Amino acid sequence: MINMILSFIMYCIKGAGVFLWPEVCPFCGNVSRRGICDCCRKTLDALKIKNPKCMQCGKPVRFPEQEYCYDCMHAAHLYDRGLGLWIHREPVNQSIYQFKYHNQRRFCKYYAEEIIRAYCHVIKKWDPDLILPIPLHRRRRKERGYNQAALISREIGRLLGIPVDEKSLVRSIYTDPQKRLGRGDRKRNLNQVFALKKDFLPVPVILLVDDIYTTGSTIDAAAGVLKKKGVEKVYFLTISIGQGY
Ligand SMILES: [Zn+2]
Ligand SMILES: [Zn+2]
């Protein structure tokens, strides 16, 4: 009888623990009070983008003496330099998907902490005056309820004491997610996709934040409007880098 009571009490304590600390690993969904679980931590270490990296977009390159990746050797970017944290593979891709489309807003805290742990010294060297998240179109933001890039920006800004401006850069074109655009349409779209609010006052250095970097066309489009307004340097940080390299 005493055993039964004791096991019932233990059951309640455990239940309360889960209730009080319902922390789950943002990468596998298992309960983990420390956030990222040990198993995922190991996988993430393997997915972390290590040196040698492209001097411009931060994608991994094959040889240490190779300064730029194939893409950056053949296309001029409008931004100056940037870095992604992980390669966009399992479980990073799944985690970002949950973060973006399934309201897992709290994941931003882990992403920001990991970005800072890896790149704090680089961010300090870049010394940005302002962090700008890549914006969603107003309509998309309304549908989703939040802009995932803004959540990560806020966390990075808060942890490093850098101001975040979520208002000045706007996405002026709504792209229907169901509609597949041809190459020409996409290019045309990106040329006018971002705009700056009239009251935006340019600062020398801006850090753009987004969830994924693939071809760089989004970051370039944003950097283009900023530089046109007089911003001198535009850097970027993303959680992951797509596999298109
Ligand atoms: Zn995990
Ligand atoms: Zn590159």
Side-chain angles (χ1 to χ4, degrees):
M1 187 65 187
I2 292 173
N3 272 352
M4 267 178 73
I5 294 169
L6 272 177
S7 62
F8 179 70
I9 292 171
M10 285 308 289
Y11 175 80
C12 291
I13 292 172
K14 266 191 193 165
V18 171
F19 181 72
L20 288 171
W21 297 283
E23 210 63 56
V24 294
C25 170
F27 292 90
C28 65
N30 291 332
V31 173
S32 165
R33 265 191 223 171
R34 276 173 301 157
I36 302 174
C37 74
D38 291 344
C39 183
C40 290
R41 173 72 63 194
K42 258 188 213 153
T43 320
L44 291 174
D45 281 346
L47 290 180
K48 203 166 267 176
I49 298 165
K50 297 171 189 81
N51 288 329
K53 291 178 191 140
C54 171
M55 300 264 290
Q56 186 148 28
C57 73
K59 283 182 185 176
V61 291
R62 206 177 279 194
F63 310 106
E65 61 275 17
Q66 193 181 340
E67 285 188 332
Y68 298 101
C69 71
Y70 182 84
D71 278 357
C72 295
M73 263 192 286
H74 294 87
H77 288 296
L78 298 174
Y79 65 80
D80 290 273
R81 209 168 172 171
L83 288 163
L85 184 56
W86 293 300
I87 293 173
H88 196 69
R89 266 186 221 148
E90 202 73 48
V92 173
N93 53 359
Q94 271 307 317
S95 176
I96 294 177
Y97 185 82
Q98 294 291 327
F99 172 56
K100 273 169 91 163
Y101 301 109
H102 289 278
N103 208 21
Q104 294 292 348
R105 304 181 196 203
R106 60 192 185 84
F107 288 5
C108 68
K109 171 177 147 243
Y110 301 105
Y111 301 148
E113 278 171 10
E114 295 302 312
I115 281 179
I116 289 170
R117 196 204 299 244
Y119 296 135
C120 185
H121 59 293
V122 187
I123 305 171
K124 285 203 171 130
K125 212 164 79 189
W126 290 343
D127 197 16
D129 300 287
L130 210 54
I131 297 177
L132 258 61
I134 292 294
L136 294 178
H137 188 270
R138 204 161 17 100
R139 198 166 129 197
R140 178 69 49 81
R141 201 190 158 282
K142 227 173 168 185
E143 288 162 358
R144 197 174 294 172
Y146 57 101
N147 171 11
Q148 72 279 1
L151 300 186
I152 312 167
S153 300
R154 273 180 225 162
E155 279 297 307
I156 297 176
R158 187 179 63 82
L159 292 166
L160 296 181
I162 306 166
V164 179
D165 176 355
E166 295 179 32
K167 301 243 162 76
S168 296
L169 186 64
V170 291
R171 194 181 278 256
S172 26
I173 294 175
Y174 178 83
T175 325
D176 188 338
Q178 305 301 321
K179 207 174 119 194
R180 287 185 77 92
L181 297 176
R183 234 194 163 153
D185 287 337
R186 253 200 318 261
K187 214 165 176 194
R188 214 168 15 254
N189 251 350
L190 274 168
N191 279 339
Q192 321 139 353
V193 78
F194 297 112
L196 277 165
K197 290 261 175 76
K198 282 207 178 77
D199 55 358
F200 172 74
L201 292 172
V203 291
V205 185
I206 277 184
L207 172 61
L208 291 170
V209 170
D210 205 2
D211 47 352
I212 311 167
Y213 178 100
T214 41
T215 62
S217 51
T218 306
I219 301 284
D220 269 334
V225 294
L226 289 165
K227 292 208 164 175
K228 230 185 211 169
K229 261 278 180 164
V231 174
E232 289 158 31
K233 295 267 180 198
V234 178
Y235 298 104
F236 80 82
L237 281 175
T238 58
I239 308 167
S240 71
I241 278 196
Q243 285 167 273
Y245 56 86

